[in-house]
Amino acid sequence: MARVRSVVIPAAGLGTRILPATKAFPKELLPLVDRPIIQYGVEEAAAAGIDRVVLVTSPGNNMTAAHFRPNPALEAVLEKRGKTESLALVRRVSELAELTTVRQEQPLGLGHAVLMGAPAVGGVPFAVLLPDDVIDADPPALRRMVELFDELNGPVLLVERVPRDAVNRYGIIEAAPLRPGVFEVRGLVEKPDPADAPSDLAIVGRYILTPDLFAVLERTGAGAGGEIQLTDGLRELLAKRRIYACELAGVRHDAGNRLGFLQASLYFALKRPDLAPALRAFLRTLE
Ligand code: UTP
């Protein structure tokens, strides 16, 4: 089976959970410490050998793509001033991946956003990464998923156990265990009531998918919340082929809501030797 080389990153949503910060500014560019949220995801993909990014953005947003493109004027100034460390940081971002941008004219849902990536992906397997879900894992989550895809020859979803009262915020799978941490998916439902949920295994922002999904998404109508849901497309695909799930072994933050964003900021700052001691001391003064 073909190597997974492309990742579709949908970033054309409205970001209503973190307004007013995202009224004019793209959510995925909000910084966690000193890197935009989306850079964590692109670095994770690069660490999994995925070097083509298909970025799905809203019509007015040119900033997100610019973050991953070279900035010759800035580089020239940094070079002239001898700021070699900053120069290396800036250059590294534009060397992470080859970028293609596609537009989603209206935020019709995650399934629709993924479908917009179809021409850029072509007829080969691909990854989908939701930038809000920032994952710290070793090995990186996407790398484990690509390995599993190579072994099982079918789509792989990343799942995490969530509290029962939170299942109505996620796509939830019905699962048959294959071995520890690996499942075969038997059913999928988007945002179920806790009483109806088939399990507590929630799909979290990473997917390895096959191109036959695109034809299914073309036919998928609006579902929960009036949006074209990726979970609904996957449920239709499940009627045609086996789908697998892999349980997250690592830490995930949902940086797309206020509390999750703050927690992710502190989590990554406290992992930084240059910042952690002073930040810890400051946090103690607040207690
Ligand atoms: P979310 O539902 O988390 O993001 O979608 P949102 O819609 O931007 O935010 P809230 O819920 O209103 O706060 C997950 C990812 O899918 C993208 C979002 O940008 C986000 O990265 N998305 C969602 C699209 O690209 N298009 C859509 O139509 C919907």
Side-chain angles (χ1 to χ4, degrees):
M1 194 170 282
R3 196 186 124 205
V4 178
R5 289 204 58 185
S6 301
V7 60
V8 175
I9 305 189
L14 293 174
T16 56
R17 287 170 300 155
I18 202 162
L19 281 168
T22 50
K23 187 179 165 209
F25 192 75
K27 173 173 64 171
E28 66 280 3
L29 287 183
L30 294 172
L32 299 174
V33 189
D34 53 9
R35 284 180 283 167
I37 291 174
I38 191 173
Q39 190 179 328
Y40 289 80
V42 173
E43 286 178 3
E44 181 188 328
I50 299 173
D51 54 5
R52 291 181 184 156
V53 169
V54 178
L55 180 68
V56 184
T57 57
S58 54
N61 174 4
N62 296 317
M63 275 194 281
T64 307
H67 179 71
F68 293 101
R69 297 222 158 98
N71 183 338
L74 176 62
E75 289 176 29
V77 171
L78 294 173
E79 196 153 18
K80 202 165 137 205
R81 294 187 185 162
K83 304 259 186 207
T84 46
E85 246 176 71
S86 303
L87 183 61
L89 285 174
V90 166
R91 283 207 173 127
R92 204 178 70 86
V93 185
S94 51
E95 287 161 1
L96 282 171
E98 182 192 312
L99 187 78
T100 306
T101 307
V102 297
R103 299 291 183 199
Q104 186 189 24
E105 295 296 330
Q106 284 178 299
L108 299 179
L110 178 58
H112 182 260
V114 170
L115 182 58
M116 297 298 100
V121 166
V124 291
F126 61 103
V128 171
L129 182 150
L130 308 190
D132 290 6
D133 279 324
V134 185
I135 293 178
D136 183 27
D138 185 16
L142 266 184
R143 173 138 30 112
R144 273 185 63 220
M145 295 172 72
V146 167
E147 283 167 11
L148 208 54
F149 175 81
D150 289 341
E151 177 195 328
L152 299 169
N153 276 313
V156 179
L157 320 177
L158 186 66
V159 293
E160 186 180 31
R161 290 196 188 277
V162 297
R164 272 277 161 180
D165 61 0
V167 293
N168 58 2
R169 301 207 303 264
Y170 296 90
I172 302 291
I173 64 164
E174 185 183 336
L178 289 182
R179 59 176 193 248
V182 180
F183 305 88
E184 187 178 330
V185 176
R186 293 284 162 81
L188 302 102
V189 51
E190 184 64 28
K191 299 186 173 63
D193 277 340
D196 306 332
S199 77
D200 60 352
L201 289 166
I203 305 172
V204 290
R206 305 287 183 273
Y207 310 73
I208 308 290
L209 301 171
T210 46
D212 47 354
L213 175 73
F214 291 132
V216 172
L217 284 176
E218 297 265 14
R219 296 192 308 265
T220 305
E227 297 194 333
I228 298 172
Q229 297 287 354
L230 181 57
T231 306
D232 293 343
L234 288 169
R235 190 173 45 249
E236 280 188 50
L237 189 65
L238 187 61
K240 300 182 209 300
R241 67 181 306 152
R242 289 177 197 273
I243 298 179
Y244 302 93
C246 153
E247 196 171 347
L248 171 67
V251 177
R252 176 184 68 97
H253 296 282
D254 177 1
N257 70 74
R258 295 177 178 85
L259 183 61
F261 177 80
L262 288 169
Q263 286 168 338
S265 299
L266 286 174
Y267 177 89
F268 286 107
L270 289 170
K271 288 193 75 158
R272 289 269 297 259
D274 56 331
L275 297 171
L279 181 58
R280 269 186 219 288
F282 170 69
L283 290 173
R284 275 196 293 272
T285 69
L286 303 179
E287 275 163 9

